[in-house]
Amino acid sequence: MSTGQNTTWSKSEKQVARRAYDLAYHRECAAIAARVREMLQGDSTPERLWQLHDLLTEERREVDEKYDYRYSVLIFVFARLLREEWLHVADLDGLSEDKVQ
Amino acid sequence: MSTGQNTTWSKSEKQVARRAYDLAYHRECAAIAARVREMLQGDSTPERLWQLHDLLTEERREVDEKYDYRYSVLIFVFARLLREEWLHVADLDGLSEDKVQ
């Protein structure tokens, strides 16, 4: 099992990793935007607006903490993104077998 | 000219004031919600999403500071709301002449 710290990344793997990382980030942000749109449908009371702000504050904190591109932790970031379904295994096509494992 | 601190509010004036205050607050929040909806139309990139969060943080701070229902400052709050057109003079119908002045 890869320990992250000792993982080396080839140039082509770095390209795959960057693309997958950006893809997941965009997917997750688009999903948050969709929730925001939904929350405002037919209800724009002050309470709803500030609920929405609270939600965004919380999501931003979580996203900022989750998306960490240091190569030493990237394996764990990808594991989490796969688990949360922001990434699919196919998005990581081109990484070495042990990393995908 | 009324100085705020020395202003007295009759029971019926308090009712008018409360209604006008709530009306302005709801109007302003609905306008913010409309801007949020507009910002997300056709663009839900992460950049746009966090711009929107920044906007809401700033608007919330401003709204929290602006809407102050203490009777000692309410005249000034209404003056500002009229200037910013969240209130119209007709919304204050029922307040004494000197307050409206």
Side-chain angles (χ1 to χ4, degrees), chain B residues 11-36:
Chain B
K11 192 175 169 195
S12 71
E13 281 185 319
K14 286 182 178 179
Q15 286 172 343
V16 169
R18 186 76 239 183
R19 205 176 309 125
Y21 180 93
D22 289 343
L23 187 62
Y25 184 63
H26 277 76
R27 276 181 187 145
E28 185 156 4
C29 290
I32 298 169
R35 278 183 70 192
V36 169

Side-chain angles (χ1 to χ4, degrees), chain B residues 24-56:
Chain B
Y25 184 63
H26 277 76
R27 276 181 187 145
E28 185 156 4
C29 290
I32 298 169
R35 278 183 70 192
V36 169
R37 254 188 243 104
E38 206 176 291
M39 279 181 80
L40 283 180
Q41 254 168 19
D43 182 357
S44 51
T45 58
E47 296 70 28
R48 176 54 58 99
L49 190 65
W50 307 136
Q51 269 173 12
L52 190 154
H53 179 247
D54 290 339
L55 170 83
L56 276 176

